[in-house]
Amino acid sequence: MKVFRKTGVSTLINILGMSVAFAAAMILMVQVRWDTTYDANFKGHGQVFRMENNWMDKGLYGTYFSRPIIEVAKAASPNIEAVGTFGRMAQEVTLKKDGEETVLSVPSAPVDSSMFSVFPFEWVEGSAREFTAGETAVVSEKYAKIFFGDESAVGKTFKAGNGVEVRVIGVFKDMPKNYSMHYGVLVNLGDRYLDTPSEWSFAAYLKLKDPSRAKETEALMVNAVLEQYGDDHDADEADEFRNGFRIVKLHDAHFERDVRANIASANKAITITLTAIAILLILIAIINFINFAFAEIPFRIKNINTRKVLGEGRGSLIGRQLLHAGLIALIAFAIACLIMHVVAGSSWASYVSDSLALKDNVGILALMLGVALVSAVIAGLAPALYSTSQPAALVLKGSYGTSVKGKALRNMLVGLQFVLSFLFILMALFVGVQTKFMIGKDMGFDEARVLQTWCGYPAGNQRDALRSHLLQNPSIEAVTFADSPIVSDQKMGWSRTGDDGNQVFMEVLPVDVNFAEFFGLQIVDGRDFRESDNQNEAGSIMPNETFMQMFPQFHVGSLMTGHVDDCEIIGVVKDFNFKSLQHAMGPLVLYNWGSKGWRSFGQMYVRTVPGADFKEVSDYIKEAICKFDPRREPHMVTVSHLDEGIENMYQSEQSLGKLITIASFVALLIAIIGIIGLVFFETQFIRKEIAVRRVNGATVGSILMMINKKYMIMAGASFVIAAPVAYWLMTAWRKGFAYQAPVPVWIFLMALLTVAAITLAVVTLQSWRAASANPVESLKNE
């Protein structure tokens, strides 16, 4: 009991440190598992590849092709088992219930029938055998239930996002969320655009018979395309064309950093970082465990030697200590599970891509339980071996606790905790700096007071009437429309042939005539769109400066093939960031497709007057959209601030910053716990020294300064080691961004001052009792 009174507080502190470390590590590993199993969670995933090219902007790869190119490429090699084609469509369906139409937001995509030969589908009802027929669709088990309840979905009909009524021929089992084919509705693509080489809106997934021959297959595919479409290319251009094509294993594609994809992607460096953080958190928890175990030896040695004198064997004594360590580890693991359960039900769960529910993470829990038990063995064995190796007559209180070797080990372990704490804090601060830099950077257009919403094609088809209705609200000062968001990482891709016969690649954003004026885009040459352009059958275009620099054969007045006929370049718009700032500027064309647009605009932007009430304006916009599209109800329409939408594009960076911030907090907490333990035990052994100094005139302040000096030096030395390592990590990490924030000096100063202040406060509070104790009583006890 006497031993527990002296070590019980340290044991509780030790459990706290381990439980927090275990919980943080498990949460991080949930994110790591999500990324490491992305597109690696289905049978035959190692055979599935994705086609990519960088023909568009000569540096950043894209995943979109024209269907004719896909058709040529798929027949190029006998090693290709199947090639599935994937397109884009509005993420909504229209259902008819009780005679009325209603719109639901659903992840949807048009695909060809070959997609079912590339990816495995498990059928709950029906099959894909009839998918070759037009106007057919398959739905997931989840959405079949939402659409049709308990009734059979096969044979039922609904309107897909392209407005075509389709018939359900099959229901497939729900796919994992971290899977490229995680869709609720797949609609038959049919033969649309099979003969349109200029429409680059399709991705291709291929299944190889022998993945080891991927490079050989890739060469055959690009040569087939070049043979079909490369008559006008000289040898250098042909080589450039070949080098700009690749097929990438689908799981590996998830970690690509040089690609503009329309699906989720991750940074492998971030995944490795999160894994390393999880391991390091466990490591510093084990370090604390070892530190406390060694520091407790002086308080346990008398009990151990008494048992030895009474005849208890060394093996039994070691087992007793290992059992004690194991019990601590199990208690810490149980508390960690409780912490994870609490976090799973909080807003913090949004920082992680997958579920944090305990039932969904049995594998990770089992792994962490094993780690906890191994930690107990590692942390308990060395102190147990040492403490039981002393002669039975030894009852010396100080022993290893006051030896030079013992102090050096504990100081080294706490110093390592300091180094890791600095690394985490500095990285968390810089991730925040980079994210704020991107969010705060001028995108090149006026986003103030702009609201955005997907109004849908039926309402967009009546855009002039809808605009007039909205402008009747005094809180709304301007309205414009576009085919897709002004900022998105993937837009419509076009391939065109210039007057010189060379191929030109670009991204295209169809827009309303007042789009440039609405966003304050600067026209650097030529003119802006006019109302009269709406009557032009061929449409008119305004490229950005980057387009004109990349393709100098074009100028204001040049003609380019549009969707109907040749359209004129009427002006040049100053470069603005139309993608998130991870990506460099590329060639963009704003396109007013005139009187024969192939669809209406579905994206709407509204600028409010200063001080407008968001809810009032938002409700008005929702009601207006529903008025022009009776299928919708206000709760089906989402209105948001444009700047918030742009900020959400950096969600992965923000989540990473928050995860590292949590890790830095945990690391610092455990380091503080280590310091508390170290100060607690060391002050037990220097009470006599403190008392002598007090008798000789030393003040409480000077004693505290003496004790704090050691830890300030330890923190400073750790900072000197951590700072250059952190700087290297920061510069390596930011290379994944086209726009990079400078590494500011203030984050190093903040980290140093924060850790120093916390350390000073902890050491002072912990040693105050020993420094202010009556020296006579201390000497008497000694």
Side-chain angles (χ1 to χ4, degrees):
M1 193 66 185
K2 185 177 180 181
V3 172
F4 180 78
R5 282 199 300 270
K6 290 183 175 291
T7 64
V9 174
S10 67
T11 299
L12 293 176
I13 293 174
N14 199 7
I15 290 174
L16 172 64
M18 289 190 71
S19 60
V20 172
F22 286 159
M26 288 192 293
I27 291 170
L28 293 177
M29 290 310 296
V30 170
Q31 181 63 51
V32 170
R33 182 192 59 195
W34 170 274
D35 288 321
T36 54
T37 61
Y38 203 101
D39 279 330
N41 47 17
F42 61 91
K43 185 179 179 181
H45 66 83
Q47 296 174 261
V48 180
F49 290 70
R50 186 172 75 191
M51 282 173 51
E52 297 176 358
N53 72 83
N54 71 353
W55 301 326
M56 184 170 293
D57 55 16
K58 309 300 181 186
L60 203 60
Y61 281 83
T63 58
Y64 282 120
F65 294 81
S66 68
R67 289 201 71 183
I69 283 183
I70 294 173
E71 292 301 309
V72 170
K74 69 163 51 173
S77 169
N79 190 39
I80 299 175
E81 184 174 321
V83 176
T85 304
F86 172 97
R88 294 188 300 172
M89 68 191 310
Q91 303 293 287
E92 61 185 29
V93 302
T94 304
L95 295 172
K96 184 172 285 187
K97 292 185 177 181
D98 300 327
E100 294 187 1
E101 290 187 334
T102 183
V103 177
L104 296 179
S105 178
V106 181
S108 320
V111 300
D112 66 2
S113 58
S114 296
M115 195 65 76
F116 301 105
S117 298
V118 176
F119 293 98
F121 284 77
E122 185 176 341
W123 298 100
V124 177
E125 185 182 10
S127 70
R129 280 193 297 272
E130 296 181 54
F131 201 75
T132 52
E135 288 80 48
T136 53
V138 294
V139 299
S140 70
E141 190 174 13
K142 171 186 173 182
Y143 282 99
K145 183 81 172 175
I146 293 173
F147 293 173
F148 310 113
D150 295 328
E151 296 180 26
S152 171
V154 173
K156 297 289 196 305
T157 62
F158 61 85
K159 286 183 181 178
N162 57 3
V164 175
E165 187 167 350
V166 295
R167 176 173 56 90
V168 178
I169 61 168
V171 177
F172 58 88
K173 195 166 185 179
D174 294 333
M175 302 292 193
K177 291 182 179 179
N178 57 339
Y179 184 34
S180 289
M181 281 295 110
H182 180 71
Y183 284 89
V185 171
L186 296 175
V187 178
N188 191 304
L189 180 59
D191 58 1
R192 291 193 295 276
Y193 299 105
L194 265 176
D195 299 318
T196 311
S198 60
E199 179 62 33
W200 285 54
S201 301
F202 304 95
Y205 299 93
L206 55 153
K207 186 176 184 180
L208 301 186
K209 297 175 183 177
D210 183 0
S212 65
R213 295 171 53 200
K215 279 297 176 185
E216 171 194 330
T217 306
E218 177 185 282
L220 290 173
M221 293 173 73
V222 72
N223 284 338
V225 174
L226 191 58
E227 183 178 341
Q228 181 74 19
Y229 296 102
D231 293 341
D232 299 326
H233 290 292
D234 59 28
D236 290 339
E237 291 172 332
D239 286 341
E240 186 178 359
F241 190 85
R242 288 190 184 93
N243 293 332
F245 176 86
R246 70 189 184 190
I247 60 173
V248 183
K249 190 171 290 188
L250 192 55
H251 172 62
D252 296 339
H254 180 62
F255 294 101
E256 288 179 318
R257 302 307 294 165
D258 60 346
V259 65
R260 290 182 291 106
N262 65 319
I263 58 174
S265 62
N267 188 330
K268 184 169 284 189
I270 291 176
T271 302
I272 294 172
T273 299
L274 294 179
T275 304
I277 289 173
I279 294 172
L280 291 174
L281 288 176
I282 298 299
L283 177 61
I284 60 178
I286 294 174
I287 289 172
N288 249 13
F289 204 158
I290 295 173
N291 224 350
F292 275 106
F294 271 114
E296 289 177 358
I297 288 176
F299 298 103
R300 298 186 180 277
I301 197 73
K302 182 174 181 179
N303 179 271
I304 290 170
N305 281 305
T306 300
R307 290 180 177 276
K308 288 172 71 175
V309 169
L310 293 175
E312 187 169 350
R314 189 184 182 196
S316 175
L317 292 170
I318 292 174
R320 190 185 296 275
Q321 292 190 61
L322 288 177
L323 184 62
H324 174 77
L327 183 60
I328 290 175
L330 287 174
I331 294 172
F333 172 74
I335 296 174
C337 291
L338 178 61
I339 293 172
M340 187 172 176
H341 174 71
V342 172
V343 172
S346 71
S347 59
W348 287 16
S350 62
Y351 304 159
V352 181
S353 301
D354 207 358
S355 167
L356 290 178
L358 299 181
K359 64 181 178 63
D360 296 328
N361 296 286
V362 175
I364 290 176
L365 295 180
L367 174 64
M368 195 55 62
L369 176 59
V371 169
L373 295 176
V374 171
S375 302
V377 173
I378 294 173
L381 190 58
L385 289 174
Y386 175 81
S387 62
T388 58
S389 67
Q390 306 303 320
L394 180 61
V395 196
L396 182 63
K397 181 180 180 181
S399 157
Y400 194 81
T402 55
S403 71
V404 174
K405 186 177 179 181
K407 288 181 178 179
L409 175 62
R410 292 200 305 278
N411 291 341
M412 181 186 70
L413 294 176
V414 173
L416 178 58
Q417 291 175 331
F418 266 128
V419 170
L420 296 176
S421 298
F422 276 122
L423 285 177
F424 290 153
I425 292 170
L426 289 168
M427 280 303 298
L429 289 172
F430 184 68
V431 169
V433 167
Q434 175 66 31
T435 304
K436 288 180 180 177
F437 172 78
M438 293 188 296
I439 293 173
K441 190 178 186 306
D442 182 9
M443 297 291 285
F445 57 86
D446 185 3
E447 58 190 84
R449 309 189 315 279
V450 174
L451 305 181
Q452 61 180 356
T453 184
W454 176 258
C455 66
Y457 297 132
N461 196 39
Q462 307 170 73
R463 68 178 185 273
D464 289 334
L466 176 57
R467 182 178 7 240
S468 297
H469 180 81
L470 289 171
L471 290 175
Q472 292 176 17
N473 188 315
S475 295
I476 296 175
E477 64 178 31
V479 180
T480 195
F481 296 83
D483 184 55
S484 61
I486 184 173
V487 181
S488 61
D489 286 345
Q490 187 75 53
K491 289 182 170 60
M492 184 190 305
W494 270 14
S495 166
R496 295 293 187 268
T497 302
D499 295 337
D500 57 359
N502 289 324
Q503 205 76 1
V504 176
F505 300 93
M506 72 207 83
E507 290 182 87
V508 180
L509 176 60
V511 297
D512 201 1
V513 290
N514 70 331
F515 186 86
E517 178 186 6
F518 180 94
F519 282 106
L521 301 178
Q522 184 179 344
I523 310 302
V524 296
D525 192 12
R527 66 170 177 85
D528 194 356
F529 294 121
R530 299 170 181 160
E531 282 293 334
S532 59
D533 291 327
N534 280 331
Q535 309 308 316
N536 185 346
E537 289 188 1
S540 49
I541 61 175
M542 284 200 302
N544 66 354
E545 292 173 300
T546 296
F547 176 94
M548 303 301 284
Q549 292 162 8
M550 289 180 63
F551 309 113
Q553 64 268 37
F554 289 99
H555 54 81
V556 173
S558 293
L559 298 179
M560 182 185 296
T561 304
H563 69 288
V564 175
D565 202 348
D566 287 346
C567 53
E568 181 183 358
I569 296 178
I570 62 166
V572 178
V573 65
K574 184 177 178 62
D575 280 342
F576 65 94
N577 291 103
F578 57 92
K579 292 182 287 191
S580 61
L581 298 183
Q582 291 99 330
H583 307 299
M585 189 67 65
L588 175 73
V589 166
L590 298 181
Y591 181 33
N592 176 267
W593 51 32
S595 61
K596 290 192 175 180
W598 66 80
R599 59 175 173 257
S600 57
F601 294 124
Q603 186 74 26
M604 184 172 74
Y605 293 97
V606 174
R607 188 181 301 280
T608 63
V609 299
D613 180 80
F614 171 75
K615 187 176 185 312
E616 183 271 323
V617 175
S618 175
D619 289 344
Y620 186 81
I621 293 171
K622 292 177 181 180
E623 290 172 3
I625 291 173
C626 294
K627 177 181 178 181
F628 286 86
D629 184 359
R631 304 171 307 157
R632 293 175 177 267
E633 296 178 13
H635 71 272
M636 300 176 183
V637 181
T638 300
V639 179
S640 62
H641 293 279
L642 175 59
D643 53 1
E644 291 179 358
I646 295 173
E647 184 175 337
N648 288 337
M649 299 185 73
Y650 308 110
Q651 188 63 47
S652 61
E653 285 74 27
Q654 292 174 319
S655 295
L656 172 67
K658 289 167 183 174
L659 287 174
I660 296 180
T661 300
I662 293 170
S664 65
F665 171 78
V666 173
L668 186 58
L669 174 64
I670 296 173
I672 290 169
I673 289 172
I675 293 170
I676 291 173
L678 199 57
V679 174
F680 174 76
F681 287 109
E682 287 202 348
T683 52
Q684 306 300 314
F685 302 127
I686 62 172
R687 285 182 178 275
K688 184 175 180 179
E689 179 186 347
I690 293 173
V692 171
R693 287 176 179 271
R694 289 289 308 280
V695 169
N696 288 322
T699 63
V700 172
S702 65
I703 298 295
L704 292 176
M705 188 178 298
M706 175 193 73
I707 298 173
N708 270 293
K709 181 179 178 182
K710 167 188 172 180
Y711 294 97
M712 289 296 102
I713 293 173
M714 189 184 296
S718 300
F719 176 78
V720 171
I721 296 170
V725 176
Y727 181 80
W728 177 81
L729 290 173
M730 292 172 194
T731 52
W733 178 73
R734 69 176 180 176
K735 286 180 182 177
F737 301 90
Y739 298 86
Q740 302 172 3
V743 180
V745 174
W746 67 261
I747 64 176
F748 292 92
L749 294 176
M750 176 177 284
L752 178 60
L753 292 176
T754 299
V755 173
I758 293 173
T759 303
L760 186 66
V762 168
V763 173
T764 299
L765 291 172
Q766 184 66 18
S767 54
W768 177 270
R769 184 177 177 184
S772 59
N774 188 330
V776 176
E777 291 297 323
S778 296
L779 291 172
K780 185 188 298 182
N781 291 334
E782 289 293 328

